[in-house]
Amino acid sequence: MSATPVGPTDHALDLHFIGNATVLLRYGPLTLLTDPNFLHRGQYAHLGYGLVSRRLTEPALAPQALPHLDGIVLSHLHGDHWDRQARRRLHRTTPILTTPHAARRLKVFQGFARTAGLRTWRGLTLERGGVQARVTALPGRHAGHRVLRGLLPPVMGSMLEFGPVGRPPRLRLYVSGDTLVYDGLDEIARRFPAADLAVLHLGGTTLPGGFVVTMDGAQGAELSRRLAPRAVLPVHYHDYTVMRSPLSDFLAEAERLGLGDRIVHCPHGGRARLTVADGAVAVA
């Protein structure tokens, strides 16, 4: 599936891939942003414990160019998902839905008072102009090794369900967050069968010692097979020096698994529109 610039339509989800895991989402009058990262090429993201990573790409938008945001969905508190530009430039009155760990820090230390910490399978609804987005926190695991998991911030995936207020959702969007594939993710498909679009954080992020903490191409394709979304948008690749798995690895493995026709080819800075009618998904 290819993605080209398009204008708004009723009950369609418009996506603008700003870079890394930052995606601007518009459903009618409702506008959301995922994992705000606005560092420029050459700047360093702080990953904790003295670890930094240099950005290799330029974001498609600056924070001051964003439209009014009805909410931010933040998978976890890491420097390549919530950076110093986000902290300084985003409005502190914008609702933020994130992990309890991140919510405490954003409210207490950064002054974002309308931050909600969601435990797994809990959700909140954002509304504007007669439409809504129900955001449900989903499982995620940032590392395989138990000791390393204790050193990294907790991460969540999320299911975003869009539709008219008070009516069943029209569109379901899964955002993986920085997770690895593990059996706990299988419950997502049981509770939310056949998401219309999965936004997968890839890149095979590798820390010193060879610890991989985000999905590489093979894991991303495997999660696509397990969850069986109708379409898949890869993000979070090629953006930082710690990302070692290129997008081509994911595309090749998805093709091998027979999933090539589900991939949304939307490059950094690109736009796409997702519509669903009679159980069929169209991406333009």
Side-chain angles (χ1 to χ4, degrees):
M1 298 181 181
S2 62
T4 55
V6 288
T9 62
D10 291 341
H11 302 302
L13 181 65
D14 291 306
L15 305 95
H16 186 186
F17 179 24
I18 295 174
N20 200 42
T22 310
V23 182
L24 188 66
L25 305 169
R26 300 189 196 219
Y27 183 78
L30 186 67
T31 303
L32 305 180
L33 185 72
T34 68
D35 293 287
N37 179 211
F38 298 102
L39 294 178
H40 294 290
R41 183 188 298 113
Q43 293 183 316
Y44 286 84
H46 296 276
L47 305 180
Y49 304 99
L51 297 176
V52 296
S53 183
R54 179 169 52 86
R55 184 155 192 176
L56 303 174
T57 60
E58 191 71 17
L61 283 180
Q64 53 269 33
L66 290 170
H68 168 82
L69 296 176
D70 298 294
I72 296 169
V73 180
L74 175 63
S75 64
H76 67 303
L77 201 59
H78 242 168
D80 62 328
H81 293 256
W82 179 270
D83 60 28
R84 51 193 175 272
Q85 292 291 330
R87 184 175 69 248
R88 295 168 183 166
R89 302 290 185 181
L90 296 178
H91 293 291
R92 282 172 166 73
T93 58
T94 303
I96 302 174
L97 309 184
T98 187
T99 64
H101 168 272
R104 287 191 297 270
R105 285 154 178 79
L106 291 177
K107 285 194 288 189
V108 174
F109 299 112
Q110 298 187 26
F112 288 86
R114 299 183 67 191
T115 302
L118 301 179
R119 299 193 180 278
T120 304
W121 308 120
R122 299 294 180 89
L124 286 174
T125 301
L126 301 169
E127 299 181 7
R128 183 178 177 86
V131 300
Q132 65 181 26
R134 174 74 177 177
V135 180
T136 302
L138 302 180
R141 182 178 289 177
H142 209 342
H145 195 283
R146 185 181 299 274
V147 173
L148 189 57
R149 289 204 299 271
L151 297 175
L152 294 175
V155 65
M156 74 177 194
S158 54
M159 187 67 70
L160 283 61
E161 298 178 287
F162 296 91
V165 171
R167 301 184 63 184
R170 298 283 185 90
L171 294 164
R172 279 181 173 168
L173 171 69
Y174 167 61
V175 182
S176 71
D178 279 12
T179 188
L180 299 176
V181 176
Y182 70 106
D183 289 343
L185 300 183
D186 294 340
E187 181 66 18
I188 296 171
R190 289 190 283 269
R191 297 196 186 210
F192 297 96
D196 298 303
L197 177 68
V199 178
L200 301 186
H201 294 195
L202 303 177
T205 302
T206 304
L207 300 182
F211 295 105
V212 178
V213 296
T214 67
M215 291 183 289
D216 59 13
Q219 286 206 33
E222 171 61 13
L223 186 58
S224 301
R225 185 192 68 79
R226 290 192 186 197
L227 300 186
R230 295 185 174 98
V232 179
L233 172 64
V235 301
H236 197 268
Y237 60 86
H238 299 172
D239 290 283
Y240 283 91
T241 52
V242 290
M243 295 176 176
R244 305 297 174 82
S245 179
L247 177 62
S248 58
D249 287 355
F250 170 72
L251 297 178
E253 186 63 13
E255 190 68 35
R256 189 186 72 81
L257 294 177
L259 303 173
D261 60 345
R262 301 189 188 191
I263 307 304
V264 178
H265 297 280
C266 184
H268 289 68
R271 299 174 186 265
R273 179 194 294 136
L274 176 73
T275 57
V276 180
D278 299 322
V281 171
V283 180

PDB file of all heavy atoms in Angstrom, residues 154-188:
ATOM      1  N   PRO A 154       9.187   1.715  32.092  1.00  0.00           N
ATOM      2  CA  PRO A 154       8.073   0.879  31.624  1.00  0.00           C
ATOM      3  C   PRO A 154       7.481   1.449  30.343  1.00  0.00           C
ATOM      4  O   PRO A 154       7.443   2.665  30.146  1.00  0.00           O
ATOM      5  CB  PRO A 154       7.067   0.946  32.780  1.00  0.00           C
ATOM      6  CG  PRO A 154       7.861   1.377  33.963  1.00  0.00           C
ATOM      7  CD  PRO A 154       8.971   2.240  33.445  1.00  0.00           C
ATOM      8  N   VAL A 155       7.014   0.557  29.477  1.00  0.00           N
ATOM      9  CA  VAL A 155       6.491   0.966  28.184  1.00  0.00           C
ATOM     10  C   VAL A 155       5.093   0.389  28.009  1.00  0.00           C
ATOM     11  O   VAL A 155       4.771  -0.665  28.553  1.00  0.00           O
ATOM     12  CB  VAL A 155       7.427   0.496  27.051  1.00  0.00           C
ATOM     13  CG1 VAL A 155       7.475  -1.015  26.963  1.00  0.00           C
ATOM     14  CG2 VAL A 155       7.023   1.089  25.714  1.00  0.00           C
ATOM     15  N   MET A 156       4.262   1.086  27.262  1.00  0.00           N
ATOM     16  CA  MET A 156       2.939   0.557  26.932  1.00  0.00           C
ATOM     17  C   MET A 156       2.705   0.638  25.433  1.00  0.00           C
ATOM     18  O   MET A 156       3.193   1.542  24.749  1.00  0.00           O
ATOM     19  CB  MET A 156       1.831   1.332  27.659  1.00  0.00           C
ATOM     20  CG  MET A 156       1.546   2.723  27.118  1.00  0.00           C
ATOM     21  SD  MET A 156       0.154   3.530  27.972  1.00  0.00           S
ATOM     22  CE  MET A 156      -0.171   4.903  26.842  1.00  0.00           C
ATOM     23  N   GLY A 157       1.960  -0.332  24.932  1.00  0.00           N
ATOM     24  CA  GLY A 157       1.338  -0.175  23.636  1.00  0.00           C
ATOM     25  C   GLY A 157       0.011   0.521  23.847  1.00  0.00           C
ATOM     26  O   GLY A 157      -0.398   0.807  24.974  1.00  0.00           O
ATOM     27  N   SER A 158      -0.696   0.807  22.778  1.00  0.00           N
ATOM     28  CA  SER A 158      -2.008   1.443  22.930  1.00  0.00           C
ATOM     29  C   SER A 158      -2.901   1.087  21.757  1.00  0.00           C
ATOM     30  O   SER A 158      -2.435   0.884  20.630  1.00  0.00           O
ATOM     31  CB  SER A 158      -1.870   2.962  23.065  1.00  0.00           C
ATOM     32  OG  SER A 158      -1.141   3.511  21.996  1.00  0.00           O
ATOM     33  N   MET A 159      -4.197   0.987  22.060  1.00  0.00           N
ATOM     34  CA  MET A 159      -5.215   0.822  21.028  1.00  0.00           C
ATOM     35  C   MET A 159      -6.037   2.097  20.996  1.00  0.00           C
ATOM     36  O   MET A 159      -6.597   2.514  22.022  1.00  0.00           O
ATOM     37  CB  MET A 159      -6.118  -0.367  21.330  1.00  0.00           C
ATOM     38  CG  MET A 159      -7.085  -0.698  20.202  1.00  0.00           C
ATOM     39  SD  MET A 159      -6.274  -1.299  18.686  1.00  0.00           S
ATOM     40  CE  MET A 159      -5.698  -2.919  19.234  1.00  0.00           C
ATOM     41  N   LEU A 160      -6.109   2.720  19.845  1.00  0.00           N
ATOM     42  CA  LEU A 160      -6.876   3.946  19.659  1.00  0.00           C
ATOM     43  C   LEU A 160      -8.096   3.612  18.815  1.00  0.00           C
ATOM     44  O   LEU A 160      -7.963   3.178  17.659  1.00  0.00           O
ATOM     45  CB  LEU A 160      -6.037   5.018  18.965  1.00  0.00           C
ATOM     46  CG  LEU A 160      -4.989   5.763  19.798  1.00  0.00           C
ATOM     47  CD1 LEU A 160      -3.922   4.841  20.359  1.00  0.00           C
ATOM     48  CD2 LEU A 160      -4.348   6.862  18.966  1.00  0.00           C
ATOM     49  N   GLU A 161      -9.271   3.796  19.398  1.00  0.00           N
ATOM     50  CA  GLU A 161     -10.520   3.474  18.714  1.00  0.00           C
ATOM     51  C   GLU A 161     -11.266   4.770  18.414  1.00  0.00           C
ATOM     52  O   GLU A 161     -11.676   5.486  19.318  1.00  0.00           O
ATOM     53  CB  GLU A 161     -11.366   2.555  19.577  1.00  0.00           C
ATOM     54  CG  GLU A 161     -10.700   1.214  19.860  1.00  0.00           C
ATOM     55  CD  GLU A 161     -11.535   0.338  20.766  1.00  0.00           C
ATOM     56  OE1 GLU A 161     -11.600   0.638  21.977  1.00  0.00           O
ATOM     57  OE2 GLU A 161     -12.132  -0.629  20.255  1.00  0.00           O
ATOM     58  N   PHE A 162     -11.439   5.057  17.121  1.00  0.00           N
ATOM     59  CA  PHE A 162     -12.030   6.308  16.674  1.00  0.00           C
ATOM     60  C   PHE A 162     -13.464   6.088  16.193  1.00  0.00           C
ATOM     61  O   PHE A 162     -13.761   5.082  15.548  1.00  0.00           O
ATOM     62  CB  PHE A 162     -11.216   6.893  15.514  1.00  0.00           C
ATOM     63  CG  PHE A 162      -9.817   7.289  15.871  1.00  0.00           C
ATOM     64  CD1 PHE A 162      -8.765   6.385  15.738  1.00  0.00           C
ATOM     65  CD2 PHE A 162      -9.534   8.567  16.331  1.00  0.00           C
ATOM     66  CE1 PHE A 162      -7.472   6.745  16.052  1.00  0.00           C
ATOM     67  CE2 PHE A 162      -8.238   8.939  16.642  1.00  0.00           C
ATOM     68  CZ  PHE A 162      -7.197   8.024  16.504  1.00  0.00           C
ATOM     69  N   GLY A 163     -14.323   7.055  16.496  1.00  0.00           N
ATOM     70  CA  GLY A 163     -15.689   6.978  16.003  1.00  0.00           C
ATOM     71  C   GLY A 163     -16.531   8.105  16.548  1.00  0.00           C
ATOM     72  O   GLY A 163     -16.062   8.935  17.333  1.00  0.00           O
ATOM     73  N   PRO A 164     -17.817   8.147  16.159  1.00  0.00           N
ATOM     74  CA  PRO A 164     -18.720   9.164  16.702  1.00  0.00           C
ATOM     75  C   PRO A 164     -18.928   8.946  18.196  1.00  0.00           C
ATOM     76  O   PRO A 164     -18.903   7.815  18.689  1.00  0.00           O
ATOM     77  CB  PRO A 164     -20.027   8.932  15.927  1.00  0.00           C
ATOM     78  CG  PRO A 164     -19.632   8.121  14.731  1.00  0.00           C
ATOM     79  CD  PRO A 164     -18.465   7.306  15.151  1.00  0.00           C
ATOM     80  N   VAL A 165     -19.144  10.031  18.921  1.00  0.00           N
ATOM     81  CA  VAL A 165     -19.375   9.937  20.356  1.00  0.00           C
ATOM     82  C   VAL A 165     -20.607   9.075  20.630  1.00  0.00           C
ATOM     83  O   VAL A 165     -21.653   9.239  19.997  1.00  0.00           O
ATOM     84  CB  VAL A 165     -19.571  11.346  20.961  1.00  0.00           C
ATOM     85  CG1 VAL A 165     -20.033  11.257  22.412  1.00  0.00           C
ATOM     86  CG2 VAL A 165     -18.274  12.140  20.867  1.00  0.00           C
ATOM     87  N   GLY A 166     -20.460   8.130  21.557  1.00  0.00           N
ATOM     88  CA  GLY A 166     -21.572   7.298  21.976  1.00  0.00           C
ATOM     89  C   GLY A 166     -21.929   6.172  21.034  1.00  0.00           C
ATOM     90  O   GLY A 166     -22.940   5.494  21.239  1.00  0.00           O
ATOM     91  N   ARG A 167     -21.116   5.942  20.008  1.00  0.00           N
ATOM     92  CA  ARG A 167     -21.404   4.871  19.050  1.00  0.00           C
ATOM     93  C   ARG A 167     -20.189   3.955  18.930  1.00  0.00           C
ATOM     94  O   ARG A 167     -19.090   4.291  19.363  1.00  0.00           O
ATOM     95  CB  ARG A 167     -21.761   5.466  17.688  1.00  0.00           C
ATOM     96  CG  ARG A 167     -22.992   6.391  17.753  1.00  0.00           C
ATOM     97  CD  ARG A 167     -23.376   6.883  16.390  1.00  0.00           C
ATOM     98  NE  ARG A 167     -23.779   5.794  15.511  1.00  0.00           N
ATOM     99  CZ  ARG A 167     -24.095   5.958  14.222  1.00  0.00           C
ATOM    100  NH1 ARG A 167     -24.024   7.174  13.678  1.00  0.00           N
ATOM    101  NH2 ARG A 167     -24.452   4.932  13.482  1.00  0.00           N
ATOM    102  N   PRO A 168     -20.353   2.760  18.362  1.00  0.00           N
ATOM    103  CA  PRO A 168     -19.216   1.846  18.214  1.00  0.00           C
ATOM    104  C   PRO A 168     -18.105   2.468  17.381  1.00  0.00           C
ATOM    105  O   PRO A 168     -18.356   3.329  16.525  1.00  0.00           O
ATOM    106  CB  PRO A 168     -19.831   0.636  17.491  1.00  0.00           C
ATOM    107  CG  PRO A 168     -21.284   0.711  17.806  1.00  0.00           C
ATOM    108  CD  PRO A 168     -21.608   2.171  17.879  1.00  0.00           C
ATOM    109  N   PRO A 169     -16.861   2.064  17.625  1.00  0.00           N
ATOM    110  CA  PRO A 169     -15.742   2.647  16.874  1.00  0.00           C
ATOM    111  C   PRO A 169     -15.801   2.311  15.397  1.00  0.00           C
ATOM    112  O   PRO A 169     -16.246   1.233  15.002  1.00  0.00           O
ATOM    113  CB  PRO A 169     -14.508   2.036  17.546  1.00  0.00           C
ATOM    114  CG  PRO A 169     -15.005   0.793  18.202  1.00  0.00           C
ATOM    115  CD  PRO A 169     -16.407   1.071  18.620  1.00  0.00           C
ATOM    116  N   ARG A 170     -15.325   3.250  14.592  1.00  0.00           N
ATOM    117  CA  ARG A 170     -15.237   3.045  13.143  1.00  0.00           C
ATOM    118  C   ARG A 170     -13.860   2.540  12.723  1.00  0.00           C
ATOM    119  O   ARG A 170     -13.727   1.859  11.708  1.00  0.00           O
ATOM    120  CB  ARG A 170     -15.525   4.359  12.416  1.00  0.00           C
ATOM    121  CG  ARG A 170     -16.918   4.930  12.653  1.00  0.00           C
ATOM    122  CD  ARG A 170     -17.963   4.197  11.841  1.00  0.00           C
ATOM    123  NE  ARG A 170     -19.268   4.826  11.981  1.00  0.00           N
ATOM    124  CZ  ARG A 170     -19.719   5.805  11.185  1.00  0.00           C
ATOM    125  NH1 ARG A 170     -18.946   6.266  10.217  1.00  0.00           N
ATOM    126  NH2 ARG A 170     -20.915   6.309  11.361  1.00  0.00           N
ATOM    127  N   LEU A 171     -12.821   2.940  13.480  1.00  0.00           N
ATOM    128  CA  LEU A 171     -11.437   2.615  13.129  1.00  0.00           C
ATOM    129  C   LEU A 171     -10.673   2.205  14.382  1.00  0.00           C
ATOM    130  O   LEU A 171     -10.839   2.826  15.440  1.00  0.00           O
ATOM    131  CB  LEU A 171     -10.734   3.824  12.506  1.00  0.00           C
ATOM    132  CG  LEU A 171     -11.217   4.345  11.164  1.00  0.00           C
ATOM    133  CD1 LEU A 171     -10.661   5.737  10.919  1.00  0.00           C
ATOM    134  CD2 LEU A 171     -10.782   3.420  10.042  1.00  0.00           C
ATOM    135  N   ARG A 172      -9.832   1.211  14.246  1.00  0.00           N
ATOM    136  CA  ARG A 172      -8.952   0.810  15.346  1.00  0.00           C
ATOM    137  C   ARG A 172      -7.499   0.902  14.902  1.00  0.00           C
ATOM    138  O   ARG A 172      -7.114   0.334  13.878  1.00  0.00           O
ATOM    139  CB  ARG A 172      -9.247  -0.627  15.788  1.00  0.00           C
ATOM    140  CG  ARG A 172     -10.429  -0.759  16.713  1.00  0.00           C
ATOM    141  CD  ARG A 172     -10.624  -2.208  17.110  1.00  0.00           C
ATOM    142  NE  ARG A 172     -11.650  -2.344  18.130  1.00  0.00           N
ATOM    143  CZ  ARG A 172     -12.180  -3.507  18.498  1.00  0.00           C
ATOM    144  NH1 ARG A 172     -11.764  -4.629  17.930  1.00  0.00           N
ATOM    145  NH2 ARG A 172     -13.110  -3.546  19.433  1.00  0.00           N
ATOM    146  N   LEU A 173      -6.721   1.614  15.704  1.00  0.00           N
ATOM    147  CA  LEU A 173      -5.302   1.821  15.410  1.00  0.00           C
ATOM    148  C   LEU A 173      -4.478   1.294  16.581  1.00  0.00           C
ATOM    149  O   LEU A 173      -4.634   1.763  17.712  1.00  0.00           O
ATOM    150  CB  LEU A 173      -5.037   3.310  15.200  1.00  0.00           C
ATOM    151  CG  LEU A 173      -3.580   3.759  15.091  1.00  0.00           C
ATOM    152  CD1 LEU A 173      -2.975   3.238  13.798  1.00  0.00           C
ATOM    153  CD2 LEU A 173      -3.475   5.277  15.143  1.00  0.00           C
ATOM    154  N   TYR A 174      -3.608   0.331  16.311  1.00  0.00           N
ATOM    155  CA  TYR A 174      -2.708  -0.213  17.330  1.00  0.00           C
ATOM    156  C   TYR A 174      -1.346   0.441  17.194  1.00  0.00           C
ATOM    157  O   TYR A 174      -0.772   0.504  16.102  1.00  0.00           O
ATOM    158  CB  TYR A 174      -2.574  -1.727  17.160  1.00  0.00           C
ATOM    159  CG  TYR A 174      -1.443  -2.347  17.946  1.00  0.00           C
ATOM    160  CD1 TYR A 174      -1.405  -2.277  19.341  1.00  0.00           C
ATOM    161  CD2 TYR A 174      -0.397  -3.021  17.302  1.00  0.00           C
ATOM    162  CE1 TYR A 174      -0.371  -2.855  20.054  1.00  0.00           C
ATOM    163  CE2 TYR A 174       0.635  -3.598  18.013  1.00  0.00           C
ATOM    164  CZ  TYR A 174       0.646  -3.512  19.386  1.00  0.00           C
ATOM    165  OH  TYR A 174       1.680  -4.081  20.104  1.00  0.00           O
ATOM    166  N   VAL A 175      -0.821   0.950  18.314  1.00  0.00           N
ATOM    167  CA  VAL A 175       0.537   1.500  18.364  1.00  0.00           C
ATOM    168  C   VAL A 175       1.342   0.610  19.298  1.00  0.00           C
ATOM    169  O   VAL A 175       1.007   0.472  20.479  1.00  0.00           O
ATOM    170  CB  VAL A 175       0.540   2.956  18.861  1.00  0.00           C
ATOM    171  CG1 VAL A 175       1.963   3.512  18.846  1.00  0.00           C
ATOM    172  CG2 VAL A 175      -0.373   3.827  18.004  1.00  0.00           C
ATOM    173  N   SER A 176       2.410   0.017  18.791  1.00  0.00           N
ATOM    174  CA  SER A 176       3.115  -1.015  19.562  1.00  0.00           C
ATOM    175  C   SER A 176       3.885  -0.462  20.750  1.00  0.00           C
ATOM    176  O   SER A 176       4.042  -1.145  21.767  1.00  0.00           O
ATOM    177  CB  SER A 176       4.073  -1.786  18.651  1.00  0.00           C
ATOM    178  OG  SER A 176       5.181  -0.989  18.279  1.00  0.00           O
ATOM    179  N   GLY A 177       4.388   0.801  20.655  1.00  0.00           N
ATOM    180  CA  GLY A 177       5.365   1.242  21.633  1.00  0.00           C
ATOM    181  C   GLY A 177       6.664   0.471  21.443  1.00  0.00           C
ATOM    182  O   GLY A 177       6.776  -0.413  20.583  1.00  0.00           O
ATOM    183  N   ASP A 178       7.665   0.786  22.254  1.00  0.00           N
ATOM    184  CA  ASP A 178       8.973   0.134  22.124  1.00  0.00           C
ATOM    185  C   ASP A 178       8.956  -1.221  22.822  1.00  0.00           C
ATOM    186  O   ASP A 178       9.526  -1.399  23.900  1.00  0.00           O
ATOM    187  CB  ASP A 178      10.066   1.012  22.741  1.00  0.00           C
ATOM    188  CG  ASP A 178      10.511   2.117  21.813  1.00  0.00           C
ATOM    189  OD1 ASP A 178       9.830   2.355  20.803  1.00  0.00           O
ATOM    190  OD2 ASP A 178      11.531   2.750  22.105  1.00  0.00           O
ATOM    191  N   THR A 179       8.307  -2.175  22.209  1.00  0.00           N
ATOM    192  CA  THR A 179       8.224  -3.509  22.797  1.00  0.00           C
ATOM    193  C   THR A 179       8.988  -4.514  21.954  1.00  0.00           C
ATOM    194  O   THR A 179       9.194  -4.315  20.756  1.00  0.00           O
ATOM    195  CB  THR A 179       6.758  -3.963  22.923  1.00  0.00           C
ATOM    196  OG1 THR A 179       6.696  -5.184  23.676  1.00  0.00           O
ATOM    197  CG2 THR A 179       6.120  -4.183  21.557  1.00  0.00           C
ATOM    198  N   LEU A 180       9.402  -5.586  22.592  1.00  0.00           N
ATOM    199  CA  LEU A 180       9.849  -6.776  21.892  1.00  0.00           C
ATOM    200  C   LEU A 180       8.664  -7.733  21.785  1.00  0.00           C
ATOM    201  O   LEU A 180       7.657  -7.575  22.480  1.00  0.00           O
ATOM    202  CB  LEU A 180      10.996  -7.440  22.654  1.00  0.00           C
ATOM    203  CG  LEU A 180      12.258  -6.592  22.827  1.00  0.00           C
ATOM    204  CD1 LEU A 180      13.283  -7.342  23.679  1.00  0.00           C
ATOM    205  CD2 LEU A 180      12.866  -6.211  21.487  1.00  0.00           C
ATOM    206  N   VAL A 181       8.779  -8.725  20.925  1.00  0.00           N
ATOM    207  CA  VAL A 181       7.725  -9.723  20.794  1.00  0.00           C
ATOM    208  C   VAL A 181       7.852 -10.727  21.935  1.00  0.00           C
ATOM    209  O   VAL A 181       8.923 -11.272  22.191  1.00  0.00           O
ATOM    210  CB  VAL A 181       7.816 -10.443  19.442  1.00  0.00           C
ATOM    211  CG1 VAL A 181       6.778 -11.556  19.353  1.00  0.00           C
ATOM    212  CG2 VAL A 181       7.618  -9.450  18.302  1.00  0.00           C
ATOM    213  N   TYR A 182       6.751 -10.945  22.630  1.00  0.00           N
ATOM    214  CA  TYR A 182       6.687 -11.983  23.671  1.00  0.00           C
ATOM    215  C   TYR A 182       5.247 -12.451  23.769  1.00  0.00           C
ATOM    216  O   TYR A 182       4.322 -11.812  23.227  1.00  0.00           O
ATOM    217  CB  TYR A 182       7.228 -11.473  25.008  1.00  0.00           C
ATOM    218  CG  TYR A 182       6.367 -10.453  25.704  1.00  0.00           C
ATOM    219  CD1 TYR A 182       5.613 -10.800  26.826  1.00  0.00           C
ATOM    220  CD2 TYR A 182       6.309  -9.132  25.251  1.00  0.00           C
ATOM    221  CE1 TYR A 182       4.819  -9.858  27.458  1.00  0.00           C
ATOM    222  CE2 TYR A 182       5.527  -8.193  25.892  1.00  0.00           C
ATOM    223  CZ  TYR A 182       4.781  -8.562  26.989  1.00  0.00           C
ATOM    224  OH  TYR A 182       3.985  -7.633  27.618  1.00  0.00           O
ATOM    225  N   ASP A 183       5.022 -13.571  24.449  1.00  0.00           N
ATOM    226  CA  ASP A 183       3.705 -14.199  24.419  1.00  0.00           C
ATOM    227  C   ASP A 183       2.611 -13.327  25.024  1.00  0.00           C
ATOM    228  O   ASP A 183       1.441 -13.471  24.672  1.00  0.00           O
ATOM    229  CB  ASP A 183       3.743 -15.552  25.133  1.00  0.00           C
ATOM    230  CG  ASP A 183       4.513 -16.594  24.346  1.00  0.00           C
ATOM    231  OD1 ASP A 183       4.739 -16.374  23.137  1.00  0.00           O
ATOM    232  OD2 ASP A 183       4.897 -17.630  24.935  1.00  0.00           O
ATOM    233  N   GLY A 184       2.970 -12.401  25.924  1.00  0.00           N
ATOM    234  CA  GLY A 184       1.967 -11.532  26.528  1.00  0.00           C
ATOM    235  C   GLY A 184       1.250 -10.640  25.530  1.00  0.00           C
ATOM    236  O   GLY A 184       0.148 -10.146  25.813  1.00  0.00           O
ATOM    237  N   LEU A 185       1.829 -10.428  24.347  1.00  0.00           N
ATOM    238  CA  LEU A 185       1.186  -9.599  23.334  1.00  0.00           C
ATOM    239  C   LEU A 185       0.038 -10.322  22.633  1.00  0.00           C
ATOM    240  O   LEU A 185      -0.811  -9.671  22.002  1.00  0.00           O
ATOM    241  CB  LEU A 185       2.210  -9.140  22.295  1.00  0.00           C
ATOM    242  CG  LEU A 185       3.386  -8.302  22.805  1.00  0.00           C
ATOM    243  CD1 LEU A 185       4.269  -7.875  21.627  1.00  0.00           C
ATOM    244  CD2 LEU A 185       2.911  -7.075  23.563  1.00  0.00           C
ATOM    245  N   ASP A 186      -0.010 -11.644  22.725  1.00  0.00           N
ATOM    246  CA  ASP A 186      -1.057 -12.386  22.043  1.00  0.00           C
ATOM    247  C   ASP A 186      -2.445 -12.033  22.570  1.00  0.00           C
ATOM    248  O   ASP A 186      -3.447 -12.158  21.846  1.00  0.00           O
ATOM    249  CB  ASP A 186      -0.819 -13.890  22.190  1.00  0.00           C
ATOM    250  CG  ASP A 186       0.438 -14.347  21.467  1.00  0.00           C
ATOM    251  OD1 ASP A 186       0.902 -13.612  20.566  1.00  0.00           O
ATOM    252  OD2 ASP A 186       0.958 -15.421  21.800  1.00  0.00           O
ATOM    253  N   GLU A 187      -2.520 -11.586  23.826  1.00  0.00           N
ATOM    254  CA  GLU A 187      -3.805 -11.229  24.409  1.00  0.00           C
ATOM    255  C   GLU A 187      -4.425 -10.025  23.688  1.00  0.00           C
ATOM    256  O   GLU A 187      -5.658  -9.854  23.698  1.00  0.00           O
ATOM    257  CB  GLU A 187      -3.636 -10.915  25.901  1.00  0.00           C
ATOM    258  CG  GLU A 187      -4.912 -10.553  26.646  1.00  0.00           C
ATOM    259  CD  GLU A 187      -5.901 -11.698  26.734  1.00  0.00           C
ATOM    260  OE1 GLU A 187      -5.499 -12.872  26.522  1.00  0.00           O
ATOM    261  OE2 GLU A 187      -7.076 -11.421  27.012  1.00  0.00           O
ATOM    262  N   ILE A 188      -3.592  -9.213  23.045  1.00  0.00           N
ATOM    263  CA  ILE A 188      -4.113  -8.049  22.321  1.00  0.00           C
ATOM    264  C   ILE A 188      -5.086  -8.496  21.230  1.00  0.00           C
ATOM    265  O   ILE A 188      -6.181  -7.944  21.080  1.00  0.00           O
ATOM    266  CB  ILE A 188      -2.962  -7.227  21.724  1.00  0.00           C
ATOM    267  CG1 ILE A 188      -2.075  -6.651  22.830  1.00  0.00           C
ATOM    268  CG2 ILE A 188      -3.503  -6.106  20.825  1.00  0.00           C
ATOM    269  CD1 ILE A 188      -0.805  -6.002  22.320  1.00  0.00           C
TER     270      ILE A 188
END
